[in-house]
Amino acid sequence: LRGEVGVLRQRAGSNDASALQSGGGLAKLMNDPSMKEYMLKAMRDKMKSMYAELIKELNLTPEQTDQFLQVLTEAASKNLAHLTATAQRTPNPPDDRESQEEAGRQLQALLGDAGCARFKDFSQEMPARGTLTLLNDQLGAARLSAEQSASLIQIIKAEPSELTEGILGVPDRAFLGSQADIDSFLQQVAQSNQRILQQAASRLDPEQLAALDSVLTKGIEARKLQGAAFFQKR
């Protein structure tokens, strides 16, 4: 979704873009029905791309796939509404806990015990899979082998999810806090990246390792921009 913020800004026009700079961030765009509809479509498309392998693995029918994507999109939308309202210090912001619990019940009914367990495990691998996709896109013909890919996924998966999930465009809650909170969080992300690089050094060749370093470094900068876009405070 991070990439959609820039698109939304362009579509908003000069007046709304000025409003973004003065405060309000994504919340102002989400109040526009056409922009909200665009964001929901972007969320659904992103979910479809991210979970394509799982959908195939679980052999979901077209109807089950639609239901699966609908549940995930609605949950993501409500979570985003909660985060933006919190950032704006809106009185009585919507509590998304009930909606998340309802999403869990719907997924349980749709996927069953085994499918739901696999969904949770697959979701935990998402930051690693996202990083791997960005890395292979940058490497081209020098892309990682299956063995290297599996190893890198396990390395990244072992890191705390709150430090790695931002690579997917998930809003970092740390940006809701003070500047000191944000600085501390970004330092933790940088330390996590260093641990990943150190462990990957024995598994990747120099070109691959340098590309991974570039992907992780750019990821931090992108998350800073995303934090400003999502959580501009009044």
Side-chain angles (χ1 to χ4, degrees):
L1 295 177
R2 177 167 52 240
E4 301 303 329
V5 174
V7 177
L8 285 168
R9 280 181 162 176
Q10 291 177 1
R11 291 185 51 165
S14 59
N15 291 336
D16 286 342
S18 297
L20 276 172
Q21 295 302 323
S22 64
L26 192 65
K28 290 185 180 296
L29 291 179
M30 290 299 285
N31 287 331
D32 184 316
S34 63
M35 291 299 172
K36 186 173 182 178
E37 181 181 355
Y38 180 81
M39 179 62 84
L40 288 174
K41 183 181 183 304
M43 285 182 177
R44 184 182 177 88
D45 290 345
K46 184 67 173 178
M47 294 297 180
K48 185 176 181 179
S49 174
M50 289 170 60
Y51 285 96
E53 290 185 29
L54 180 65
I55 291 170
K56 183 177 180 180
E57 178 183 328
L58 296 180
N59 197 29
L60 299 183
T61 66
E63 293 76 14
Q64 290 173 324
T65 298
D66 285 342
Q67 186 178 351
F68 176 70
L69 295 175
Q70 183 66 24
V71 171
L72 296 185
T73 301
E74 288 182 358
S77 175
K78 291 177 180 178
N79 182 56
L80 181 58
H82 169 74
L83 289 174
T84 52
T86 301
Q88 294 298 298
R89 297 188 174 92
T90 302
N92 303 315
D95 188 343
D96 70 335
R97 285 177 297 181
E98 184 175 339
S99 64
Q100 299 302 316
E101 291 172 358
E102 175 60 25
R105 290 190 290 269
Q106 291 177 2
L107 289 174
Q108 181 72 31
L110 177 64
L111 304 178
D113 291 340
C116 207
R118 178 60 184 133
F119 164 76
K120 291 178 181 178
D121 187 60
F122 189 91
S123 296
Q124 290 175 351
E125 295 178 356
M126 280 295 188
R129 291 176 179 273
T131 303
L132 183 61
T133 297
L134 292 172
L135 176 59
N136 282 330
D137 286 346
Q138 183 166 319
L139 287 169
R143 62 190 297 116
L144 272 60
S145 66
E147 182 178 354
Q148 288 175 315
S149 298
S151 180
L152 183 59
I153 286 175
Q154 292 306 311
I155 290 172
I156 298 176
K157 186 179 177 181
E159 291 293 313
S161 61
E162 64 269 18
L163 301 181
T164 61
E165 64 186 4
I167 196 75
L168 298 172
V170 176
D172 293 308
R173 289 177 177 268
F175 284 92
L176 289 169
S178 66
Q179 187 59 50
D181 294 330
I182 296 172
D183 292 342
S184 175
F185 171 75
L186 291 175
Q187 183 178 16
Q188 293 177 58
V189 173
Q191 291 170 346
S192 172
N193 288 349
Q194 286 305 307
R195 290 193 296 270
I196 293 171
L197 290 169
Q198 289 170 4
Q199 295 180 66
S202 62
R203 298 166 173 83
L204 308 183
D205 65 34
E207 179 184 358
Q208 293 170 335
L209 190 64
L212 176 59
D213 187 8
S214 175
V215 166
L216 295 176
T217 300
K218 290 178 181 177
I220 290 181
E221 294 306 311
R223 290 164 78 167
K224 291 179 183 178
L225 292 174
Q226 174 184 270
F230 273 94
F231 300 137
Q232 284 181 347
K233 299 180 177 66
R234 286 188 292 207

